[in-house]
Amino acid sequence: MQIFKVGGAVRDRLLGKPVTDIDWVVVGASTEEMLAKGYRPVGADFPVFLHPKSGEEYALARTERKSGRGYGGFTFHASPEVTLEEDLIRRDLTINAMAEDDQKNLTDPYHGQRDLEQRILRHVSPAFAEDPLRVLRVARFGARYAGLGFTVAPETMELMRQLSESGELQALTAERSWKEISRALMEDQPQVFIQVLRDCGALKVLMPEVDALFGVPQPEAHHPEIDTGLHTLSVLEQSALHKQPLTVRWACLLHDLGKGLTPEEEWPRHIAHEHTGLKLIKAVNERFKAPKDCQELALLVGKYHTHGHRALELKASTLLELLQSFDVYRRPQRFEEFIAACEMDARGRKGLEQRSYPQADYLRGAAKVAREVAVQPLLEKGFKGPELGEALKRERLKALKAYKDNA
C-alpha cells in the first residue's frame, strides 16, 4: 500500500503557490484494508475514505470508462492492481496529473512539469473528450493562470471545440455548470474564462446571450472599445481588479445582454436595452440556477445601470424610485453592490479604466438621506397603514430634493 499526494497540491507547490486543498491517492490497497486501518468510507460512486485523524479524503487508485452522456456518465473500477500511472491518465490536464510521495519524489508520466515550465494547459489523453465538464475546467484554469502566461494547447483547444459541437455540453447539470462558472468568475482574470469558452465554441452553446454581444457596436463617444462583447470582458476584468464579490461579477457579465437584441439598422444605438435584456438575464439565471442574490442583483443592474451612470441628472422622484426598487432601507448592501457594478461598467471602457466615478458617492449620499428620514414624527401626527407609507415617501422626496439642490 502506497500513498501519494496528487493533482492541484503538487501543481501549486511546483508553481510556488500556496497549497490549500490536498488530494491523496492510495495505490495497492483494497476497501477492506482501508476499513481495517480505521478509514471511514464516504463516496457512493467510487471508493473514497476519510483519514481517521486528519479527516482528509483518500481515494483508491481507479480507472474509469465512459458509459453515458455528460459529467456523470462514467463507470469506475478500483482495485489493488490499478497503478498510479493508470490513475493519473484519467485526469484532465498534464499539470494536474503529477504525484509525489512523502519524500517529495515526483511521478510525472505525462510531462506535467514540462508543461508547467512552458506555461501550457494540455490534456493528458484522448479520454479528455469524454467529459464535457472539462471544457469549463480548462477555461477556469485559463482564468486562474493567465497572469502567469498560461495558454491552452492548440490540440486541447481542438478537443474542446469538438466537445462543444458534439451536444455533450447540454448534458451538464445546472449545478455542475454553476460550480465551475462561479469559481471561474472569482479567479484573477475571469474575462479569460469567457474568452476561452468563446474560442472553442462553448460560449454560444452555454451562454448564447453573451456570445451574441461580440461584433455588436456601441457609440464610440461612450465606448471607445466599440464592441459590446469586448466591453463585457473589460467590465469583468475591472470587477476582478477591484476584488468585487460573485454577485457583482455575475451582474457585470450579464448587464448588457439587451444589446444583443438590437436590430442592426439601429446600431450603434441601443435604445431601451436595459428592458429588452431582462428576459435574457432571467433565462441565463434560470439555466444555471444561480443563487438568489446573484439572480436579483443581475436583474436590478440590467434594469437600472444607466440610471446609475445618470445619477447626477436624475430628478428627485426618479432617484427615490431607484432607492425604493433596491429596498435600501432594509437591504443597504444590495444597493452598494449595484453602485459597484455601475462603476465597473463605467471603468470597463478602453482608456477610461482610471477615471473617477462621482456617481458612486452621490448615490450613497442619496441613500443615506432617504434612510435618515424618521418615522416617529409621522406616527405622532397620527399617520398609519398606507397613509403612513405615503407620508414617509413625501418626506423622503423632500429630503432628496434638498440633497440634490445642495449637491
Side-chain angles (χ1 to χ4, degrees):
M1 174 173 162
Q2 292 175 286
I3 296 175
F4 296 90
K5 194 181 287 184
V6 295
V10 180
R11 175 198 70 225
D12 287 345
R13 184 183 72 77
L14 292 171
L15 280 173
K17 287 185 155 291
V19 174
T20 47
D21 297 326
I22 298 178
D23 293 321
W24 302 94
V25 160
V26 184
V27 177
S30 65
T31 297
E32 292 71 28
E33 286 176 81
M34 297 296 283
L35 296 174
K37 290 180 181 289
Y39 286 82
R40 303 190 307 280
V42 281
D45 297 331
F46 42 81
V48 177
F49 302 85
L50 298 181
H51 190 280
K53 290 181 181 169
S54 71
E56 289 183 307
E57 288 190 358
Y58 286 67
L60 292 187
R62 64 186 189 267
T63 59
E64 61 186 33
R65 189 168 53 82
K66 184 79 168 165
S67 60
R69 289 190 80 203
Y71 167 77
F74 292 90
T75 52
F76 298 95
H77 169 67
S79 81
E81 287 73 46
V82 176
T83 66
L84 180 60
E85 288 75 12
E86 286 174 322
D87 183 89
L88 293 174
I89 201 171
R90 66 182 177 77
R91 295 170 187 269
D92 52 6
L93 298 172
T94 59
I95 64 169
N96 296 331
M98 297 180 283
E100 62 182 26
D101 61 17
D102 55 3
Q103 302 299 308
K104 288 193 166 56
N105 294 315
L106 193 68
T107 300
D108 181 19
Y110 310 109
H111 311 297
Q113 192 169 21
R114 181 194 65 195
D115 285 344
L116 271 186
E117 289 162 0
Q118 294 180 357
R119 302 300 198 239
I120 291 173
L121 301 172
R122 191 194 314 275
H123 64 284
V124 178
S125 79
F128 174 94
E130 294 178 350
D131 183 356
L133 191 69
R134 288 176 169 177
V135 172
L136 289 164
R137 276 177 58 81
V138 173
R140 174 164 66 82
F141 281 118
R144 178 179 298 177
Y145 296 123
L148 296 177
F150 275 82
T151 56
V152 181
E155 62 271 28
T156 303
M157 186 65 82
E158 181 53 36
L159 278 183
M160 291 164 68
R161 201 170 284 117
Q162 289 172 22
L163 262 174
S164 300
E165 292 168 0
S166 70
E168 279 273 309
L169 290 176
Q170 285 96 325
L172 290 173
T173 65
E175 291 77 12
R176 291 300 309 180
S177 296
W178 176 254
K179 187 176 180 184
E180 289 298 325
I181 291 166
S182 59
R183 289 177 72 183
L185 290 179
M186 293 309 292
E187 298 289 3
D188 288 343
Q189 297 200 35
Q191 77 281 4
V192 174
F193 172 72
I194 300 299
Q195 186 64 60
V196 171
L197 290 181
R198 185 160 188 268
D199 290 344
C200 72
L203 190 63
K204 69 171 177 261
V205 177
L206 296 167
M207 298 185 203
E209 302 87 350
V210 177
D211 191 67
L213 299 178
F214 290 87
V216 174
Q218 305 166 102
E220 192 173 356
H222 301 296
H223 289 276
E225 72 288 343
I226 299 175
D227 189 284
T228 310
L230 296 181
H231 166 63
T232 299
L233 295 184
S234 296
V235 176
L236 207 46
E237 182 179 12
Q238 289 298 317
S239 74
L241 284 171
H242 291 268
K243 309 291 184 198
Q244 298 296 347
L246 177 62
T247 45
V248 173
R249 297 187 192 203
W250 182 241
C252 285
L253 176 62
L254 305 185
H255 78 285
D256 262 350
L257 292 189
K259 290 180 179 178
L261 296 175
T262 305
E264 283 188 38
E265 59 270 19
E266 292 179 20
W267 289 354
R269 298 178 72 209
H270 299 278
I271 296 162
H273 75 276
E274 307 89 346
H275 294 281
T276 56
L278 293 179
K279 62 184 177 186
L280 301 185
I281 295 171
K282 194 174 180 192
V284 179
N285 274 335
E286 290 174 358
R287 185 177 313 135
F288 298 110
K289 295 183 179 171
K292 193 179 176 193
D293 56 347
C294 287
Q295 294 202 27
E296 287 178 353
L297 189 69
L299 285 164
L300 286 164
V301 170
K303 187 173 182 179
Y304 292 114
H305 62 277
T306 47
H307 275 47
H309 301 326
R310 292 175 45 247
L312 302 170
E313 307 156 28
L314 296 180
K315 293 187 298 187
S317 56
T318 309
L319 200 50
L320 179 60
E321 282 172 27
L322 180 67
L323 297 175
Q324 305 272 76
S325 299
F326 279 86
D327 191 6
V328 294
Y329 318 107
R330 290 181 301 177
R331 299 187 63 180
Q333 183 57 32
R334 186 167 65 175
F335 192 60
E336 192 59 43
E337 290 178 355
F338 164 74
I339 294 171
C342 290
E343 184 169 356
M344 298 308 100
D345 181 25
R347 290 177 183 274
R349 302 169 197 229
K350 194 176 179 183
L352 303 175
E353 296 86 356
Q354 303 302 322
R355 73 170 172 181
S356 63
Y357 193 68
Q359 296 93 323
D361 283 339
Y362 181 81
L363 287 168
R364 286 189 191 104
K368 185 171 182 286
V369 162
R371 273 196 294 266
E372 285 174 351
V373 171
V375 181
Q376 193 57 37
L378 299 174
L379 290 170
E380 288 168 4
K381 286 179 180 175
F383 287 109
K384 57 186 176 183
E387 286 182 352
L388 175 63
E390 286 303 312
L392 196 51
K393 206 170 168 182
R394 284 194 299 273
E395 290 303 311
R396 284 170 176 161
L397 185 58
K398 198 187 299 178
L400 284 171
K401 280 177 178 169
Y403 173 71
K404 189 170 172 57
D405 290 342
N406 295 324

